[in-house]
């Protein structure tokens, strides 16, 4: 009877902890706090030295739970990455996820050796434990603050965060083995082991992803089981790959990439369930990691751990990022931002529990240092992330069109999505201020409650509901066409600026007329060419280029090429009348002469 009562009390405690974590997301969103930090604090409050008084020190359970949670989180990261949209970020992200992790671990290990007075292997082990970044923390903050990063920067951070955990895990397990058996150091065998981990892990990920995509499409499962099949397969892939000598965490991330970039049945349901599973995995992992912490023990290592955290944030990570991105042409401000977005999270604390699990000497020191580094990173970098994005001008202040879009899932379809709009009486489609783009295919119209074909419907009427097939990246153009004019005019002026120019407008004359600073290399380039270069030939409506006091914003696209841009000024230095006069002169100068060849 007592065992049943104890079980009920544990279930009650777990339920209350999860409820507290979920409700705390409202506080985190309001104040811009890293949500994972809130989960950690709730776990600590529930621990043996907090009001909850729960004594918990089961490192084996923590390691097992962390492995399952990481499998779910990494699979979700791969599942949501569209390779067609991030091709320009693959090489820099891969470099950061490999060489960047190695450099970060080495430099942080060097600092730990002198700050803590450790031998090389233990010091490098601390460096490996805190070497990887946490995607969940970074992108929760970006979403909660409504930020849009410039595409290559955002894609680089996303892919790096999803793929650098396997390297940190490999280094940690390797150094733990060396700490247990120091005589086992053999550079040749280490290199073979690393290549085996990466090679077998990548191969298992590709094969596992292909098999899972095929299973999702071929197996006629009862409703609701396809998403569970995906989650279960992701969890099972990690130990299967580990048993073959590969990196299971690398495999599950690549499997997510493969599944997410192939036509898959019930893909929207898979994403929905995966989203819930990822949230649950993060909450459970951070709550349990918080329970493991004994705050009084952290005090012994607090000062040296803070020194290591400061060295990691201000020296090791910036040096690693600078060297890794040296050959990829990133502007300095983007390198600085990528350096700052080095939040440590679940993997750092998870890896810090490995020495405790295997019983290494001074294992508590590794855990305490890892925990303090993660806590410091979430507090300092997490709370300043949005500020840094705007200060370094890598945040794109996009404003969504004020339309009410309805989105419908198309099973097994990646190239198009179905979207529907209410036809407002004064929208551009009714008033003739914009035509339907060629890539948008009308599907049906709902008029007075009756579903009719586009041919039978003829010209759209006010209060119709129109549905279209459209590429996901271009749907924003339809949003503006169906937005109510009163709201759209204000939003358009705020987003696109006061003037509209053709995409092929030369930047040289534009800069001359407004006294804008422009490098000689860009004098002969057009706005469309510069957008194509800056956004990897995939510009989207709302993308921005800064030219001195002016800002060019993509207003319209034609076959993935910028056809119209908005011109917006960031200051009032140039008066409105002067702007209008100069703009008329510029347009007159750029207009083709009669009889010109």
């Amino acid at each position: 009877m007592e065992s049943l009562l104890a079980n009920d009390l544990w279930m009650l405690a777990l339920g209350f902890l999860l409820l507290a974590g979920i409700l705390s997301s409202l506080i985190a969103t309001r104040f811009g706090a890293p949500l994972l930090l809130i989960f950690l604090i709730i776990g600590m409050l529930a621990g043996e030295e907090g009001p909850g008084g729960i004594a918990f020190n089961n490192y084996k359970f923590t390691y097992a739970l962390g492995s399952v949670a990481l499998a779910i989180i990494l699979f979700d990261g791969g599942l949501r990455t569209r390779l067609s949209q991030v091709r320009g970020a693959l090489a820099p992200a891969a470099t950061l996820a490999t060489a960047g992790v190695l450099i970060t671990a080495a430099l942080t290990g060097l600092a730990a050796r002198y700050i803590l007075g450790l031998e090389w292997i233990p010091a490098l082990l601390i460096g490996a434990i805190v070497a990887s970044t946490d995607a969940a923390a970074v992108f929760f903050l970006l979403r909660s603050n409504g930020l849009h990063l410039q595409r290559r920067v955002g894609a680089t951070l996303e892919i790096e965060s999803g793929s650098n955990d396997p390297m940190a895990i490999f280094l940690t397990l390797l150094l733990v083995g060396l700490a247990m058996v120091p005589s086992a150091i053999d550079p040749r065998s280490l290199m073979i082991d690393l290549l085996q981990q990466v090679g077998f892990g990548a191969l298992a990920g590709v094969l596992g992803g292909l098999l899972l995509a095929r299973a999702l499409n071929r197996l006629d499962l009862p409703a609701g089981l396809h998403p569970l099949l995906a989650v279960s397969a992701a969890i099972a892939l990690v130990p299967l790959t580990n048993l073959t000598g590969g990196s299971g965490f690398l495999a599950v991330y690549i499997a997510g990439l493969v599944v997410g970039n192939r036509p898959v049945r019930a893909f929207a349901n898979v994403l929905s369930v995966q989203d819930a599973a990822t949230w649950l995995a993060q909450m459970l992992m951070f709550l349990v990691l918080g329970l493991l912490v004994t705050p009084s023990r952290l005090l012994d290592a607090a000062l040296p751990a803070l020194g290591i955290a400061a060295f990691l944030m201000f020296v090791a990570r910036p040096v690693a990022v600078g060297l890794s991105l040296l050959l990829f042409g990133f502007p300095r401000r983007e390198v600085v931002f990528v350096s700052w977005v080095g939040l440590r999270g679940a993997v750092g604390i998870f890896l810090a529990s490995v020495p405790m699990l295997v019983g290494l000497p001074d294992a508590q020191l590794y855990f305490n240092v890892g925990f303090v580094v993660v806590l410091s990173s979430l507090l300092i970098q997490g709370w300043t992330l949005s500020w840094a994005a705007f200060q370094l001008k890598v945040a794109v202040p996009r404003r969504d069109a004020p339309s009410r879009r309805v989105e419908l899932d198309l099973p097994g379809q990646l190239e198009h999505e179905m979207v529907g709009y209410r036809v407002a009486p004064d929208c551009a489609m009714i008033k003739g201020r914009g035509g339907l783009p060629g890539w948008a295919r009308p599907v049906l119209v709902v008029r007075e409650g009756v579903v009719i074909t586009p041919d039978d419907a003829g010209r759209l009427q006010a209060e119709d509901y129109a549905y279209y097939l459209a590429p996901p990246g271009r749907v924003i153009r339809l949003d503006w066409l169906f937005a109510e004019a009163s709201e759209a005019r204000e939003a358009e002026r705020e987003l696109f600026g006061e003037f509209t120019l053709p995409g092929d407008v030369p930047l040289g004359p534009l800069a001359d007329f407004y006294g804008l600073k422009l490098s000689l290399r860009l004098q002969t380039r057009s706005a469309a060419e510069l957008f194509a270069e800056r956004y990897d030939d995939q510009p989207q409506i709302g993308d921005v280029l800064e030219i001195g006091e002016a800002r060019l914003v993509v207003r319209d696209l034609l076959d993935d090429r910028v056809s119209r841009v908005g011109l917006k000024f960031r200051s009032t230095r140039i008066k409105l009348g002067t702007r209008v006069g100069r703009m008329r002169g510029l347009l007159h100068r750029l207009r083709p002469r009669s009889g010109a060849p």
Side-chain angles (χ1 to χ4, degrees), residues 199-231:
F200 284 14
L203 180 62
V206 172
L207 293 177
L210 291 173
L211 288 174
L212 178 55
R214 187 177 181 85
L216 289 170
N217 288 328
R218 292 295 183 90
L219 295 181
D220 204 8
L221 299 174
L225 289 186
H226 285 88
L228 297 181
L229 171 63
V231 175

Side-chain angles (χ1 to χ4, degrees), residues 515-556:
L516 306 174
K517 294 181 179 179
L518 193 65
S519 66
L520 292 175
R521 184 180 70 86
L522 300 179
Q523 293 283 340
T524 59
R525 309 290 296 279
S526 70
E529 291 171 342
L530 193 56
F531 272 109
E533 176 186 308
R534 187 67 185 79
Y535 289 94
D536 302 316
D537 293 320
Q538 292 182 317
Q540 293 183 2
I541 293 175
D543 283 345
V544 174
L545 286 176
E546 302 278 355
I547 304 178
E549 294 292 326
R551 173 180 289 166
L552 292 176
V553 188
V554 177
R555 191 180 182 106
D556 209 352

Side-chain angles (χ1 to χ4, degrees), residues 80-403:
R80 298 175 189 277
T81 301
R82 290 289 175 266
L83 292 176
S84 61
Q85 297 178 5
V86 300
R87 60 191 179 202
L90 289 175
T95 306
L96 284 170
T98 51
V101 172
L102 286 170
I103 297 170
T104 302
L107 292 176
T108 308
L110 178 65
R113 173 173 168 78
Y114 289 100
I115 292 175
L116 294 170
L118 299 174
E119 297 296 325
W120 275 113
I121 296 300
L124 290 173
L125 177 55
I126 287 181
I129 285 172
V130 297
S132 65
T133 59
D134 188 82
V138 172
F139 289 100
F140 168 78
L141 284 175
L142 294 178
R143 289 194 298 269
S144 66
N145 287 282
L147 291 177
H148 296 274
L149 291 181
Q150 292 177 0
R151 186 167 300 108
R152 187 169 66 155
V153 175
T156 298
L157 288 169
E158 182 177 352
I159 299 174
E160 180 213 3
S161 299
S163 59
N164 68 2
D165 293 340
M167 177 60 75
I169 293 168
F170 167 76
L171 290 175
T172 300
L173 297 180
L174 172 67
L175 289 164
V176 166
L178 294 177
M180 296 174 68
V181 189
S183 61
I185 298 177
D186 179 6
R188 184 173 179 273
S189 64
L190 291 181
M191 183 58 65
I192 293 174
D193 191 23
L194 175 60
L195 293 176
Q196 178 179 315
Q197 289 269 335
V198 174
F200 284 14
L203 180 62
V206 172
L207 293 177
L210 291 173
L211 288 174
L212 178 55
R214 187 177 181 85
L216 289 170
N217 288 328
R218 292 295 183 90
L219 295 181
D220 204 8
L221 299 174
L225 289 186
H226 285 88
L228 297 181
L229 171 63
V231 175
S232 304
I235 295 172
L237 183 60
V238 173
L240 284 174
T241 307
N242 289 338
L243 291 173
T244 66
S247 170
F249 293 112
L250 177 62
V252 76
Y253 178 73
I254 292 177
L257 283 175
V258 173
V259 174
N261 288 273
R262 295 181 67 83
V264 170
R265 179 197 295 183
F267 187 69
N269 291 336
V270 171
L271 279 181
S272 178
V273 173
Q274 184 65 36
D275 192 45
T278 301
W279 273 109
L280 181 62
Q282 292 177 60
M283 284 192 291
L284 283 174
M285 183 161 56
F286 272 79
L287 288 172
V288 170
L289 291 173
L291 284 173
L292 274 179
V293 176
T294 305
S296 61
R297 294 178 184 172
L298 293 178
L299 297 177
D300 297 335
L303 285 178
L306 287 172
I308 293 172
F311 184 88
L312 174 62
M313 285 187 280
F314 297 106
V315 179
R317 169 73 176 177
V319 170
V321 171
L323 293 175
S324 299
L325 300 183
L326 193 60
L327 300 178
F328 297 105
F330 279 72
R332 183 179 301 175
R333 56 187 173 79
E334 293 182 2
V335 173
V336 173
F337 181 74
V338 173
S339 300
W340 191 242
V341 186
L343 280 106
R344 270 55 199 174
V347 176
I349 304 178
F350 168 68
L351 293 179
S353 67
V354 175
M356 300 285 290
L357 186 64
V358 300
L360 280 185
D362 297 322
Q364 188 68 50
L365 175 65
Y366 299 119
F367 186 84
N368 291 343
V369 170
F371 189 89
V372 171
V373 168
V374 170
L375 198 62
S376 303
S377 176
L378 290 175
L379 279 169
I380 298 171
Q381 293 173 305
W383 242 307
T384 59
L385 188 61
S386 299
W387 174 83
F390 281 108
Q391 290 298 312
L392 295 168
K393 300 177 183 177
V394 297
V396 178
R398 290 176 175 167
R399 173 168 175 175
D400 296 332
S403 63

